[in-house]
């Protein structure tokens, strides 16, 4: 027999009743951004809507428009905010331009792997916001200290960003595959490539034990080092061109 209901015993909630919405003054940009991170990590940015976000914060969708003009503004704010929280303010120039760019590459790599569900979208967007501006300024300064002229520095900035984010996004893409598919792709480099007939694929057969899968950490580090070597070679070529006597 159930206990009698008293004033201190809450009765059952009427069927179909909604949760009480947050008071208007408790909904801030910070609350919305934190909720947006949860929704995006769970559902991805493609499925991200003001309706799903409003449900997450238990508010009406129209209340979000008091803080963000539209979904795109919110997405860009979220991306810049996540960058700031991952490595914003941690970039400090040293006396080594190579180490500075290597550090930036490592931060970007770690950041995108931290949010694999929407790493590709983050990598592709230009936020036009403070954290991005600071990162671009840092990278340009390092490229100019390497000895590149402004035209080459601007080009290498774009190539550097594309290479680093593309590689990190590929690794992130592996992380969101279902475990069986991911393991199958990884094991292919360790098992299936080693079983290929040497008479048909002699190079693969000879080197199958040395082939790397997408997530091998050496791949990213090697790509960054190759890029830095290319910068150094380009800068050295420019210095030699400037020092060469006219008509030589």
């Amino acid at each position: 027999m159930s206990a009698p209901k008293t004033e201190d015993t809450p009765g059952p909630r009427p069927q179909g009743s909604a949760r009480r919405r947050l008071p208007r003054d408790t909904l801030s940009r910070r609350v919305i951004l934190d909720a947006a991170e949860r929704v995006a990590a769970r559902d991805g940015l493609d499925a991200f809507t003001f309706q799903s976000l409003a449900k997450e914060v238990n508010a009406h969708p129209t209340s979000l428009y008091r803080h963000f003009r539209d979904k795109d503004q919110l997405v860009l704010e979220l991306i810049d905010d996540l960058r700031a929280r991952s490595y914003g303010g941690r970039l400090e120039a040293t006396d080594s331009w190579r180490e500075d760019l290597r550090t930036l590459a490592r931060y970007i790599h770690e950041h995108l792997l931290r949010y694999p569900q929407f790493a590709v979208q983050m990598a592709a967007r230009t936020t036009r916001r403070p954290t991005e501006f600071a990162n671009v300024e840092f990278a340009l300064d390092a490229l100019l200290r390497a000895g590149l002229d402004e035209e080459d520095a601007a080009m290498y900035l774009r190539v550097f960003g594309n290479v680093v984010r593309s590689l990190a996004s590929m690794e992130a893409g592996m992380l969101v595959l279902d475990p069986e598919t991911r393991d199958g792709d990884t094991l292919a480099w360790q098992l299936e490539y080693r079983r290929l007939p040497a008479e048909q694929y002699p190079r693969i057969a000879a080197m199958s034990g040395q082939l790397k899968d997408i997530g091998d950490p050496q791949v990213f580090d090697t790509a960054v080092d190759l890029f830095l070597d290319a910068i150094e070679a380009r800068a050295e070529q420019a210095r030699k061109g400037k020092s060469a006597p006219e008509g030589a």
Side-chain angles (χ1 to χ4, degrees), residues 45-212:
L45 287 178
D46 290 338
F48 181 91
T49 64
F50 269 27
Q51 285 72 27
S52 62
L53 181 56
K55 184 177 180 180
E56 183 73 19
V57 297
N58 200 24
H60 195 278
T62 57
S63 62
L64 303 179
Y65 289 97
R66 286 191 285 270
H67 301 275
F68 296 97
R69 179 181 63 253
D70 53 27
K71 173 185 173 178
D72 200 57
Q73 183 191 33
L74 175 54
V75 167
L76 295 180
E77 289 281 356
L78 173 63
I79 292 173
D80 205 61
D81 182 68
L82 293 178
R83 287 176 183 169
R85 289 159 59 185
S86 287
Y87 56 94
R90 297 170 61 189
L91 293 170
E92 296 184 6
T94 69
D95 58 359
S96 171
W97 66 267
R98 287 184 67 106
E99 190 57 34
D100 291 346
L101 289 179
R102 188 179 287 112
T103 297
L104 177 57
R106 185 175 70 251
Y107 283 161
I108 294 172
H109 183 240
E110 292 172 352
H111 172 67
L112 293 179
L113 293 186
R114 189 173 295 124
Y115 302 100
Q117 296 87 344
F118 53 104
V120 172
Q121 295 100 318
M122 284 201 296
R125 295 307 305 272
T126 300
T127 67
R128 296 94 75 183
R129 281 161 171 77
T131 305
E132 181 177 275
F133 295 151
N135 295 343
V136 170
E137 179 72 13
F138 179 86
L140 282 175
D141 178 69
L143 291 166
L144 291 172
R145 285 188 285 117
L148 298 178
D149 60 29
E150 291 184 353
E151 183 178 359
D152 281 343
M155 174 59 73
Y156 274 70
L157 171 75
R158 172 49 57 204
V159 177
F160 174 80
N162 286 4
V163 168
V164 169
R165 288 177 174 82
S166 295
L167 289 171
S169 296
M170 287 181 66
E171 289 186 48
M174 288 287 291
L175 295 179
V176 297
L177 294 174
D178 66 87
E180 184 177 354
T181 300
R182 183 172 63 247
D183 291 345
D185 285 357
T186 300
L187 287 173
W189 294 97
Q190 303 171 17
L191 299 177
E192 293 180 46
Y193 270 76
R194 296 185 182 187
R195 296 171 180 166
L196 292 175
E199 62 274 12
Q200 189 174 358
Y201 305 102
R203 302 301 185 192
I204 293 177
M207 301 172 60
S208 60
Q210 303 171 58
L211 297 177
K212 310 295 183 184

